[in-house]
């Protein structure tokens, strides 16, 4: 045990002054308003898309040729269209489970991955336009994009990125000094932002800590790296990488987030904003942090650097609010420790990422004034409204997406597999005011999903446009790919904070297999069927028929549209997901499968679950949002074992607990 005082002395001995995390003053860009209406995509995105589409057209042509559909000439087909086919990828939330499964899933689409072209869907990533992540999924998309558009294979050969052997809370492992120094330097960075006059929140600490895992330790974990700096990456400028987007939710002060009212924000390399009527505005991302009124800077001095990369990735995954914070409620922890880590933080809103000043202050485009009237903007974890797969940016008609590949690594069931709840949330939202003309195809209910074992293989939704004419608009076709366990128990807890390199790699490999129908051994025609899904909306638009081969694929993979209404929905994992699975239920008690404590999700100020309760009894009561699958906190706490002591969770309560042990 290292006495706390000792740490304080240590901190003074070491130079912990870094100059780069705090935002800086710059002169404002000339005659530019910093906020615009969401009535279209930005001019920047438009001109970027031209470059990207010339790359995706070629990549898609190659992908379709490799798929080798009967009597189909890919070049002729694409040339006969008067537009480019737009493909989007969506990676769900679910902590490190989602990041790692997502890594395997994206590797299966990446022609840079060994074996992806031979027994996977290699080239699909190169043919995709949008690359959207939420929470744990945004750690994946953000790590790839912000490391100079690296690949999963490159990351695995790099021993500093995604080193999860030690948890984020105790990065030094058994080396308590290393851990103490790490937190000390994180604290110094956040203090510096506060000293520069900005409100800080726990998400600042969280985002800085994440940065060490995503960007390596050099340069103080890239303390000054911003999300908007993606526009400087050569691969982005040349249109050689897809358009990364990270999702978060807006929360008006003292409100709860519910699905139909949430404001879905997107961070993209150019902008931060929302298509939802409650905001309907986009702000120039590089200058958020500047004082503005309706997008007009209030002085000549603007601010840059607020969109710190770690902070943005932390915002999308700001899970702190799944356990309401009650700092004074922590028994047995010295108040000096707490005040050290919370000193200078704004106590009232510790559970959200604080964006102050609000870039949308008095913006004139919102139909609901709650967000634009506040001087601060509060953002929370992107999955809190149950929409754990980030579809929203790709359902906007302005973006004109043909097909979305949706990777669902949610933990809806007792044993942390998805049950399609995220699909239901997005389906329902289209009929609310916030839906605003977005369409989403009919989806199976969770009961149907479980009863019909729809989690055992990929599924196409919205196959037939003529059955979708009652919806506001014809939505993209959805290719849904769930987390399926073939060679590793990939259903780890959302709150599992450390992974041995072996387990990490096993889950990534399994993600590849889940995306490729077990390396095409279950269905060698899988790439053909994916090709059929990609070209389908264009065939429909042009009134071209589908080949027999594609019709067979649709028979195999399209949801039949029938809902199950009985009550036999219990899933017994002793069945094989497929006969090719190498796993057996008995493995579940060992290997990488692990059960850990979770607390039920509570959002907003009115439902409070004291963190100390959650920690000491692992049972919490909640009047919060029951449908929030978030990054996977649906399951009630009491049904899971208390393993908090050995598996610190990513909520702040555990962070303080762990520091308590350490010190
Ligand atoms: C930035 O400008 C504001 C307003 O002029 C000033 O109060 C603040 O001290 C400046 N910050 C720095 C770091 O110079
Ligand atoms: C593209 O082709 C479709 C179908 O042939 C047609 O309806 C549409 O007007 C065309 N759009 C443009 C911009 O040429
Ligand atoms: C599936 O393919 C991946 C990528 O080539 C490979 O790493 C993995 O070992 C393969 N799985 C099996 C079961 O052969
Ligand atoms: C980024 O990657 C490109 C290759 O895609 C390489 O040419 C360039 O040097 C890299 N830039 C940095 C800063 O590493
Ligand atoms: C690992 O990644 C970091 C950060 O991008 C980079 O500086 C370093 O050179 C990489 N190391 C290896 C061995 O590739
Ligand atoms: C949701 O939005 C509707 C329409 O603006 C409003 O009437 C309702 O009170 C909101 N519900 C919540 C819980 O904020
Ligand atoms: C922004 O406004 C706040 C509050 O009025 C002020 O403290 C700060 O100095 C301003 N920042 C700049 C860069 O003008
Ligand atoms: C926080 O915890 C203290 C001590 O357990 C308790 O008295 C107080 O009511 C709690 N506050 C809230 C907002 O739950
Ligand atoms: C399906 O979802 C509903 C609503 O969220 C929930 O009440 C029900 O328990 C779920 N069914 C199963 C089998 O999990
Ligand atoms: C077709 O539309 C009906 C509603 O009109 C819906 O209930 C059904 O599930 C849809 N079928 C498919 C395959 O989506
Ligand atoms: C599991 O797969 C094996 C091998 O294909 C098969 O023999 C067995 O019947 C399957 N078990 C279940 C419960 O489906
Ligand atoms: C298609 C559609 O309904 N668009 C609306 C979205 O919301 C904005 C702002 O409220 C309206 O102006 C659009 O007409």
């Amino acid at each position: 045990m290292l006495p706390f005082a000792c740490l304080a002395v240590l901190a003074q001995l070491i130079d912990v002054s870094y100059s780069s995390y705090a935002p800086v003053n710059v002169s404002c860009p000339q005659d530019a308003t910093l906020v615009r209406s969401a009535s279209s995509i930005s001019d920047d995105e438009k001109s970027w898309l031209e470059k990207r589409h010339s790359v995706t057209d070629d990549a898609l042509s190659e992908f379709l040729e490799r798929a080798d559909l009967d009597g189909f000439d890919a070049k002729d087909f694409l040339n006969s269209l008067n537009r480019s086919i737009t493909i989007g990828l969506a990676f769900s939330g679910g902590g490190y489970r989602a990041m790692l499964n997502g890594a395997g899933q994206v590797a299966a689409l990446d022609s840079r991955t060994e074996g992806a072209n031979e027994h996977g869907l290699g080239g699909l990533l190169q043919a995709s336009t949008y690359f959207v992540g939420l929470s744990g999924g945004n750690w994946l998309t953000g790590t790839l994009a912000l490391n100079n558009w690296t690949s999963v294979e490159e990351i695995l050969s790099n021993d500093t990125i995604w080193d999860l052997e030690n948890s984020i809370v105790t990065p030094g492992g058994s080396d308590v000094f290393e851990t103490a120094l790490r937190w000390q330097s994180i604290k110094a960075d956040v203090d510096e932002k506060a000293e520069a006059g900005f409100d800080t929140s726990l998400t600042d600490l969280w985002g800085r800590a994440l940065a060490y895992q995503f960007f390596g330790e050099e340069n103080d974990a890239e303390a000054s790296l911003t999300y908007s700096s993606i526009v400087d990456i050569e691969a982005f400028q040349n249109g050689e990488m897809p358009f990364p987007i990270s999702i978060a939710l807006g929360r008006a002060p003292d409100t709860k987030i519910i699905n139909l009212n949430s404001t879905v924000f997107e961070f993209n390399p150019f902008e931060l904003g929302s298509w939802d009527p409650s905001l309907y505005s986009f702000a120039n991302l590089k200058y958020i942090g500047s004082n503005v009124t309706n997008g007009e800077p209030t002085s000549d001095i603007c601010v840059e650097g607020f969109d710190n990369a770690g902070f943005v990735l932390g915002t999308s995954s700001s899970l702190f609010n799944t356990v309401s914070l009650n700092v004074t409620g922590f028994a047995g922890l010295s108040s000096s420790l707490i005040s050290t880590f919370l000193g200078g933080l704004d106590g009232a809103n510790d559970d959200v990422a604080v964006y102050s000043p609000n870039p949308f202050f008095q913006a004139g485009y919102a139909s609901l004034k709650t967000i634009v009237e506040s001087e601060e903007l509060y953002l929370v974890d992107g999955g809190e409204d149950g929409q754990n797969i980030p579809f929203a940016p790709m359902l906007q008609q302005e973006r004109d997406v043909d097909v979305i590949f949706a990777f669902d690594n949610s933990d809806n069931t007792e044993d942390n597999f998805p049950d399609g709840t995220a699909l239901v949330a997005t389906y329902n939202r289209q009929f609310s005011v916030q839906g605003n003309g977005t369409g989403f195809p009919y989806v199976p209910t969770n009961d149907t999903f479980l009863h019909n074992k729809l989690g055992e293989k990929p599924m196409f939704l919205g196959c037939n446009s003529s059955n979708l004419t009652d919806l506001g608009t014809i939505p993209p076709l959805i290719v849904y790919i769930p987390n399926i366990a073939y060679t590793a128990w990939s259903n780890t807890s959302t709150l599992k904070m450390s992974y041995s390199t072996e387990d990490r790699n096993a889950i990534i490999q399994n993600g590849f297999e889940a995306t490729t129908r077990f390396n095409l051994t279950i269905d060698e025609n899988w790439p053909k069927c994916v090709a059929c899904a990609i070209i389908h909306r264009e065939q429909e638009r042009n009134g071209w028929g589908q080949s027999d081969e594609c019709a067979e694929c649709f028979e195999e993979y399209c949801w039949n549209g029938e809902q199950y209404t009985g009550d036999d929905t219990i899933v017994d994992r002793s069945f094989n997901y497929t006969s090719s699975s190498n796993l057996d239920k008995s493995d579940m008690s060992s290997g990488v499968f692990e059960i850990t404590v979770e607390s039920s999700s509570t959002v907003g100020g009115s439902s409070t679950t004291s963190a100390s309760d959650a920690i000491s009894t692992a049972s919490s009561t909640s009047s919060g949002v029951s449908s929030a699958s978030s990054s996977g906190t649906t399951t009630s706490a009491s049904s899971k074992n208390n393993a908090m002591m050995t598996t610190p969770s990513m909520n702040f309560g555990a962070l303080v607990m762990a520091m308590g042990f350490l010190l």
Side-chain angles (χ1 to χ4, degrees):
M1 292 276 184
L2 182 65
F4 177 72
C6 204
L7 182 64
V9 171
L10 204 63
Q12 280 162 16
L13 295 176
I14 293 170
D15 180 10
V16 285
S17 65
Y18 302 108
S19 56
S20 35
Y21 180 67
V24 295
N25 286 348
V26 295
S27 31
C28 290
Q30 297 228 312
D31 56 57
T33 169
L34 297 177
V35 173
R36 65 175 186 92
S37 150
S39 56
S40 67
I41 56 174
S42 65
D43 292 342
D44 286 332
E45 184 174 338
K46 260 178 222 157
S47 48
W48 180 84
L49 281 173
E50 278 174 30
K51 281 184 271 179
R52 179 60 184 162
H53 278 152
S54 72
V55 174
T56 59
D57 286 349
D58 289 345
L60 182 58
S61 175
E62 261 178 56
F63 178 85
L64 294 174
E65 269 164 26
R66 203 177 299 125
D68 196 22
L69 295 175
D70 281 350
F72 178 84
D73 187 309
K75 284 207 176 70
D76 276 359
F77 180 85
L78 296 176
N79 285 337
S80 65
L81 304 177
N82 57 11
R83 61 189 289 277
S84 295
I85 291 186
T86 301
I87 301 172
L89 310 175
F91 293 88
S92 82
Y96 293 104
R97 178 190 64 250
M99 178 178 92
L100 297 177
N101 280 291
Q105 290 155 347
V106 79
L109 316 181
D110 188 345
S111 58
R112 297 173 294 182
T113 309
E114 203 181 317
N117 293 355
E118 293 73 31
H119 47 261
L121 302 175
L124 195 46
L125 179 62
Q126 282 67 30
S128 297
T129 300
Y130 295 106
F131 187 54
V132 189
L134 178 156
S135 202
N138 118 105
W139 299 346
L140 163 70
T141 55
T143 303
L144 292 182
L146 286 150
N147 281 292
N148 194 25
W149 188 236
T150 188
S151 67
V152 170
E153 267 185 6
E154 257 178 72
I155 290 176
L156 296 188
S157 67
N158 185 308
D159 53 11
T160 62
I161 302 178
W162 293 357
D163 174 2
L164 307 178
E165 293 270 356
N166 298 315
S167 87
I168 194 166
V169 182
T170 55
S174 56
D175 185 344
V176 293
F177 280 92
E178 191 184 329
T179 295
L181 290 177
R182 170 71 57 82
W183 281 106
Q184 206 56 45
S185 83
I186 288 172
K187 177 72 168 57
D189 286 339
V190 177
D191 281 350
E192 200 180 7
K193 178 173 170 182
E195 279 155 22
F198 295 93
D199 284 348
T200 55
S201 50
L202 282 172
T203 303
D204 286 281
L205 294 175
W206 176 236
R208 287 301 299 133
L210 288 172
Y212 283 88
Q213 298 189 326
F214 303 155
F215 311 130
E217 297 187 12
E218 279 164 38
N219 301 325
D220 185 25
E222 305 297 344
S224 62
L225 185 68
T226 58
Y227 200 87
S228 57
S229 74
I230 290 171
V231 304
D232 300 327
I233 296 173
E234 214 178 288
F236 184 83
Q237 291 174 343
N238 301 338
E240 284 158 16
M241 61 183 274
F243 197 69
I245 298 179
S246 288
I247 296 299
L249 296 177
R251 197 185 86 172
D254 303 320
T255 57
K256 286 186 193 179
I257 288 190
I258 64 167
N259 178 21
L260 307 180
N261 279 53
S262 60
T263 302
V264 178
F265 280 76
E266 68 170 64
F267 290 89
N268 69 51
F270 301 118
E271 295 185 312
L272 163 66
S274 175
W275 300 89
D276 298 345
S278 55
L279 188 66
Y280 206 62
S281 317
F282 281 93
N284 187 330
L285 180 62
K286 190 175 180 180
Y287 297 104
I288 63 166
S290 307
N291 289 330
V292 294
T293 302
N294 190 17
E296 298 301 331
T298 53
S299 78
D300 296 343
I301 300 175
C302 282
V303 167
E304 252 181 53
F306 198 98
D307 62 314
N308 179 272
F311 187 60
V312 170
L313 302 187
T315 297
S316 181
S317 60
S318 54
L319 280 173
F320 310 110
N321 49 7
T322 62
V323 174
S324 295
L325 297 172
N326 182 352
V327 169
T328 54
F330 289 146
L333 284 179
S334 81
S335 56
S336 63
L337 171 74
I338 291 160
S339 57
T340 296
F341 280 92
L342 291 184
L345 297 182
D346 167 8
N349 284 296
D350 279 344
D351 57 342
V352 297
V354 178
Y355 285 69
S356 173
N358 178 1
F360 303 99
F361 184 62
Q362 290 185 3
Y365 314 104
S367 64
L368 197 71
K369 299 298 173 198
T370 45
I371 290 175
V372 297
E373 265 163 21
S374 172
E375 292 189 1
E376 291 89 28
L377 171 66
Y378 299 113
L379 298 181
V380 301
D381 193 286
E384 296 284 341
D385 63 353
Q387 300 191 87
N388 202 36
I389 306 172
F391 288 112
M394 297 182 287
L395 300 178
Q396 306 304 325
Q397 284 170 273
E398 279 293 318
R399 288 211 166 109
D400 209 6
V401 175
D402 287 82
V403 56
I404 300 174
F405 289 79
F407 297 93
D408 193 356
N409 302 305
S410 305
D411 70 340
N412 309 120
T413 65
E414 274 294 296
D415 53 358
N416 301 328
F417 282 103
D419 72 3
T421 292
L423 296 171
V424 174
T426 298
Y427 170 80
N428 285 334
R429 198 172 197 269
Q430 68 187 310
F431 305 111
S432 75
V433 177
Q434 294 285 60
N436 200 29
T438 58
F440 198 73
Y442 299 99
V443 298
T445 61
N446 54 344
D447 288 0
T448 304
F449 191 101
L450 292 172
H451 179 80
N452 294 339
K453 301 189 163 94
L454 300 180
E456 290 184 36
K457 69 175 201 188
M459 165 170 70
F460 298 170
L461 295 166
C463 287
N464 190 350
S465 286
S466 63
N467 194 51
L468 305 174
T469 50
D470 286 347
L471 304 174
T473 88
I474 302 296
L477 195 150
I478 309 292
V479 177
Y480 174 83
I481 299 181
N483 176 9
I484 311 169
Y486 288 128
T487 55
W489 284 114
S490 51
N491 54 331
T492 49
S493 163
T494 304
L495 301 180
K496 180 173 164 57
M497 297 299 276
S498 59
Y499 285 81
S500 70
T501 297
E502 194 189 353
D503 288 352
R504 177 194 75 174
N505 296 353
I507 291 180
I508 292 176
Q509 182 188 319
N510 187 78
F512 184 104
E513 291 157 355
T515 307
T516 59
R517 306 249 45 215
F518 206 30
N519 294 2
L520 309 189
T521 58
I522 298 171
D523 181 0
E524 62 174 0
N525 287 329
W526 175 232
K528 286 181 189 284
C529 294
V530 166
C532 295
I534 292 171
I535 62 175
H536 191 59
R537 282 286 183 266
E538 290 305 331
Q539 291 178 319
E540 289 182 323
R541 272 191 194 120
N542 293 288
W544 298 331
Q546 197 178 35
S547 67
D548 289 349
E549 195 178 44
C550 283
E552 267 174 51
C553 280
F554 273 36
E555 188 64 34
E556 173 76 16
Y557 290 104
C558 292
W559 177 51
N560 66 13
E562 288 159 28
Q563 302 290 6
Y564 172 73
T565 52
D567 36 83
D568 174 22
T569 56
I570 294 162
V571 173
D572 177 5
R573 299 286 174 203
S574 63
F575 76 76
N576 300 334
Y577 269 96
T578 75
S579 53
S580 305
S581 175
N582 293 349
L583 299 171
D584 177 294
K585 188 173 185 178
S586 58
D587 295 339
M588 277 208 173
S589 54
S590 60
V592 295
F593 179 76
E594 177 173 338
I595 288 179
T596 187
V597 67
E598 295 192 14
S599 73
S600 25
S601 177
T602 65
V603 182
S606 59
S607 71
T608 50
T609 302
S610 124
S612 58
D613 282 346
I615 288 168
S616 59
T617 66
S619 71
S620 53
T621 53
S622 164
S623 55
V625 184
S626 59
S627 66
S629 68
S630 168
S631 311
T633 48
T634 36
T635 327
S636 79
S638 51
S639 65
K640 304 220 172 182
N641 298 327
N642 184 357
M644 183 68 93
M645 298 309 181
T646 50
T647 314
S649 90
M650 67 176 77
N651 63 49
F652 179 71
L655 191 149
V656 172
M657 283 297 284
M659 293 306 294
F661 279 120
L662 184 74
L663 300 170

